[in-house]
Amino acid sequence: MSSNAPDVSVVIGAYQAMPYLIRCLESVEAQTLGAGRLEIIAVDDGSTDGTGEYLDAFAARTAIDTRVVHQENSGGPSGPRNTGLGLARGRYVFFLDADDYFGEEALERMVAMGDRAGTDVVLGKVVGVNRGAAKSMWKQTVERADIYFSQVKFTLSAQKLFRRELLVRLGMSFDEKLKTGEDALFTLEAYLRGNGVSVVADYTCYYLVGREDGKHVTKSGSYELRFDSARALTGLIAEHVPPGPKRDALMVRPFVITLLPQFGPGFLKQSAAVRKRKMELAAPLMAQYWTRGLAGSLKVQERLRLICVAKGRPDLLMDILRFVKEGREPEIVRGERPARLWLAYPHFREGPELPESAYQVWVTEWRNGRRIDPPVAATSSLVHRFVRKARRVLRAVRPAPPARRA
């Protein structure tokens, strides 16, 4: 990179983005980082609503070095992002959606964090505007987050600050064949292969906007696309993380966020053919990656649903889903010596298909506003198993000691 390269290349992929694009661009101009330390690469992805014309007019008047690319519609966000990434010159790249906007100090704070911590990915606090946004990962500012056991694995959208050297060195780009979850795959690879992840949680950096026309929603399309995404994410994790507690912890993300919703209440209304197909698509993932450690990281209802999927038992799954849909609450069953808790969802203690251990409380749950914590003894037992497994993995990969000199 040349010495006069900007600190940040802001890549904006825009399709039918009016009037939201106006505030989006204003928020870039308002950055306290300063116009001289920024560039904008805006990609008009075949818009017909005046988006392209507005981008051209903005580029002609703004003090920020701005390049506008007009291309035919690519059918998704990956194409425009890849186009912008290929033209970027900055030390960092930020992928800003044309519907959304920055807090004024966002880039200044994130660049300062990345420079101070030496990390390759910086997460800035996100809040929703007319829509929800994840909150669990914004509890504190962290220079180096644990990508396995913290909540950062639950924010894999592309709206983050990436060190461009990492992206160039690894030849990273968004998978244009993947029609959903492409940003999660890109971001998780940067987490796994980069030099650390930082979190800026004491300032709202990014405003995630809910459009009135609903066009921001990314959960459209065939259910088969969700399985494509789950397959890609689990494969990436398996490629870079050996079996053990870290892999199990990271696998929670694709299993709970991507796979599990395919076996929610909507499953009850689907045709037998669709239900059968979903079970078939899930079977290889369950066979490859479902482990005791992963199961123990889930809430009881989540675990039960996935065990039904793993066993190929849609009938048992539907019984549990009907119970949940009816708004019923499972009885809390207590055991002594050792102390244990179970939630008695359907088929509790009825046979080996759904063993008693599947109903046991391993993580904190909430029932009717009441917090349910697993007994300390049970939690300690699970933790000890994880620790023993981790030690076995470490011993297996530990290099041999150097030979002694004669």
Side-chain angles (χ1 to χ4, degrees), residues 70-129:
H70 300 277
Q71 64 182 34
E72 292 185 6
N73 183 254
S74 64
S78 293
R81 287 172 179 163
N82 286 337
T83 298
L85 178 58
L87 297 171
R89 300 179 300 117
R91 294 193 299 122
Y92 295 96
V93 178
F94 194 102
F95 298 100
L96 172 63
D97 280 1
D99 305 333
D100 305 330
Y101 58 93
F102 285 129
E104 289 186 1
E105 300 175 22
L107 293 179
E108 182 178 15
R109 286 174 178 255
M110 285 191 284
V111 167
M113 172 62 87
D115 287 349
R116 181 171 68 251
T119 46
D120 285 338
V121 187
V122 182
L123 285 55
K125 182 179 179 180
V126 178
V127 300
V129 179

Side-chain angles (χ1 to χ4, degrees), residues 70-240:
H70 300 277
Q71 64 182 34
E72 292 185 6
N73 183 254
S74 64
S78 293
R81 287 172 179 163
N82 286 337
T83 298
L85 178 58
L87 297 171
R89 300 179 300 117
R91 294 193 299 122
Y92 295 96
V93 178
F94 194 102
F95 298 100
L96 172 63
D97 280 1
D99 305 333
D100 305 330
Y101 58 93
F102 285 129
E104 289 186 1
E105 300 175 22
L107 293 179
E108 182 178 15
R109 286 174 178 255
M110 285 191 284
V111 167
M113 172 62 87
D115 287 349
R116 181 171 68 251
T119 46
D120 285 338
V121 187
V122 182
L123 285 55
K125 182 179 179 180
V126 178
V127 300
V129 179
N130 298 324
R131 65 176 295 182
K135 299 178 181 179
S136 62
M137 61 290 303
W138 311 122
K139 293 181 179 179
Q140 60 180 341
T141 293
V142 181
E143 288 200 357
R144 285 189 172 268
D146 185 329
I147 65 171
Y148 303 99
F149 299 105
S150 76
Q151 297 297 301
V152 300
K153 62 176 173 281
F154 292 110
T155 174
L156 296 181
S157 62
Q159 294 82 34
K160 295 166 177 61
L161 192 73
F162 297 90
R163 193 177 297 272
R164 190 167 72 88
E165 187 276 332
L166 171 75
L167 308 183
V168 172
R169 174 166 50 84
L170 299 180
M172 288 180 59
S173 63
F174 292 89
D175 187 344
E176 297 186 37
K177 299 187 297 296
L178 202 61
K179 297 305 180 183
T180 187
E182 73 293 327
D183 52 348
L185 190 67
F186 181 93
T187 302
L188 184 57
E189 182 175 359
Y191 282 9
L192 289 169
R193 303 182 71 186
N195 183 34
V197 175
S198 298
V199 179
V200 175
D202 55 353
Y203 179 81
T204 300
C205 294
Y206 196 88
Y207 292 87
L208 189 68
V209 177
R211 289 176 56 143
E212 293 180 1
D213 58 13
K215 290 182 179 179
H216 66 281
V217 177
T218 59
K219 294 184 178 180
S220 58
S222 165
Y223 65 84
E224 301 222 9
L225 301 180
R226 312 290 169 231
F227 287 95
D228 291 342
S229 178
R231 196 177 303 113
L233 277 175
T234 53
L236 178 70
I237 294 168
E239 179 183 357
H240 294 287

Side-chain angles (χ1 to χ4, degrees), residues 17-80:
M18 296 298 288
Y20 302 93
L21 179 62
I22 297 171
R23 186 166 190 178
C24 172
L25 293 171
E26 287 175 348
S27 78
V28 183
E29 284 192 300
Q31 288 302 294
T32 56
L33 188 66
R37 298 174 64 185
L38 292 172
E39 71 171 357
I40 297 173
I41 302 168
V43 182
D44 170 28
D45 198 38
S47 301
T48 58
D49 67 341
T51 289
E53 292 80 0
Y54 188 83
L55 287 172
D56 288 335
F58 175 85
R61 66 169 174 77
T62 184
I64 300 174
D65 184 5
T66 299
R67 179 168 181 174
V68 179
V69 178
H70 300 277
Q71 64 182 34
E72 292 185 6
N73 183 254
S74 64
S78 293

